Amino acid sequence: VISGVVSNHPTISDGKKITTSPIKSDQSAINENLVVQTKSGSKYKLSNAAWGASIPAVVEAQKKAKEAAAAAANKKVQKQKVVSKAPSRQIQPAKKAAVAVKPKPAAKPSEQKIAPAQMLKLAKSAFSLTGITVGRNGKYLLAGKPQQSSGRQAKIWEAYEADPNQPGIPSGYDGTTASISKVKRVTIKLSPDIDRMRLEDANYDRVQSGLFSGRFVNKIEYTPGVPS
């Protein structure tokens, strides 16, 4: 069975929590943005998984991908030849007086200064940034391609909150691969239908104030007029 919150249904109000009857579709293939059918014949179109939730089929696919990558890396290491280190020659110090200078330790990758233009290039590649921002002072950076909301003018985007000190750079990203996992992704819905968006905002507030607060969705903010 699948549990979730109703949206854009012709007879069931938005925000209503429902649980389906047993699913007829192959459960191992269930994923976001697919249509599933129950054994009773009802069909449901799935949206994105709630913040913090997971889909078994997606988790299993990610697990297999990690196992395959680990196996490939291990195979590569085993093929590498062991190179013995040649003994270093001992050099007798010169008898003449000299001033010994201790070299400065090399800076760590995270401490190295990256030029703003290079940082923008790295961020665009790492997060598929479009260069488009929404919100006051470019607060959110849109990424990838938007999903069209079913039967409506609204579009759903993946986005990242911008670093206030580095315009165009996701907050928490410092140009290294290790920092990518520290950047939090958000989902933004944009629509010219202000009345519809105001109703949806009220539905989110009701869901978050109920018994299962934050279980299905975590609304960050609602802005009626979005500068872009």
Side-chain angles (χ1 to χ4, degrees):
V1 297
I2 296 177
S3 297
V5 178
V6 175
S7 177
N8 299 328
H9 193 276
T11 58
I12 302 176
S13 59
D14 287 353
K16 183 177 179 61
K17 297 186 288 292
I18 65 169
T19 298
T20 70
S21 58
I23 298 299
K24 179 180 179 182
S25 306
D26 181 7
Q27 297 190 19
S28 64
I30 292 178
N31 204 337
E32 298 175 333
N33 302 306
L34 293 179
V35 176
V36 297
Q37 183 175 1
T38 65
K39 293 182 178 180
S40 63
S42 299
K43 293 184 178 180
Y44 298 87
K45 182 178 182 181
L46 305 181
S47 182
N48 294 336
W51 184 268
S54 62
I55 299 176
V58 176
V59 172
E60 182 64 22
Q62 292 174 343
K63 179 181 178 181
K64 290 182 178 179
K66 289 182 179 179
E67 290 175 350
N74 185 46
K75 186 176 181 180
K76 183 178 179 181
V77 170
Q78 291 178 354
K79 288 184 177 180
Q80 293 178 347
K81 295 181 179 180
V82 177
V83 180
S84 59
K85 184 178 181 181
S88 58
R89 292 190 305 166
Q90 294 184 351
I91 302 175
Q92 295 295 330
K95 293 183 179 180
K96 294 182 179 181
V99 178
V101 179
K102 186 178 181 180
K104 294 183 179 180
K108 297 179 180 179
S110 60
E111 297 175 350
Q112 295 177 351
K113 187 68 174 178
I114 302 177
Q118 179 66 13
M119 179 70 85
L120 282 171
K121 184 177 180 180
L122 291 172
K124 183 176 181 180
S125 175
F127 302 99
S128 300
L129 300 180
T130 64
I132 302 173
T133 65
V134 295
R136 188 178 300 276
N137 298 322
K139 184 175 181 179
Y140 296 104
L141 312 173
L142 301 186
K145 295 183 179 180
Q147 297 180 17
Q148 187 72 41
S149 183
S150 178
R152 309 215 178 257
Q153 299 180 22
K155 292 185 178 180
I156 301 174
W157 288 86
E158 286 186 359
Y160 301 91
E161 187 170 353
D163 187 329
N165 299 319
Q166 301 184 88
I169 305 299
S171 180
Y173 180 63
D174 60 11
T176 63
T177 302
S179 66
I180 294 177
S181 61
K182 300 178 182 179
V183 178
K184 294 184 178 180
R185 183 186 67 183
V186 299
T187 300
I188 294 180
K189 185 174 184 179
L190 300 175
S191 173
D193 191 343
I194 297 178
D195 292 335
R196 181 73 183 182
M197 293 295 286
R198 186 181 295 112
L199 175 62
E200 189 167 332
D201 173 59
N203 289 334
Y204 280 133
D205 287 340
R206 283 198 296 271
V207 172
Q208 293 193 147
S209 62
L211 180 61
F212 301 100
S213 176
R215 181 173 178 180
F216 299 103
V217 67
N218 182 21
K219 188 195 78 175
I220 299 174
E221 64 175 305
Y222 165 65
T223 306
V226 181
S228 61

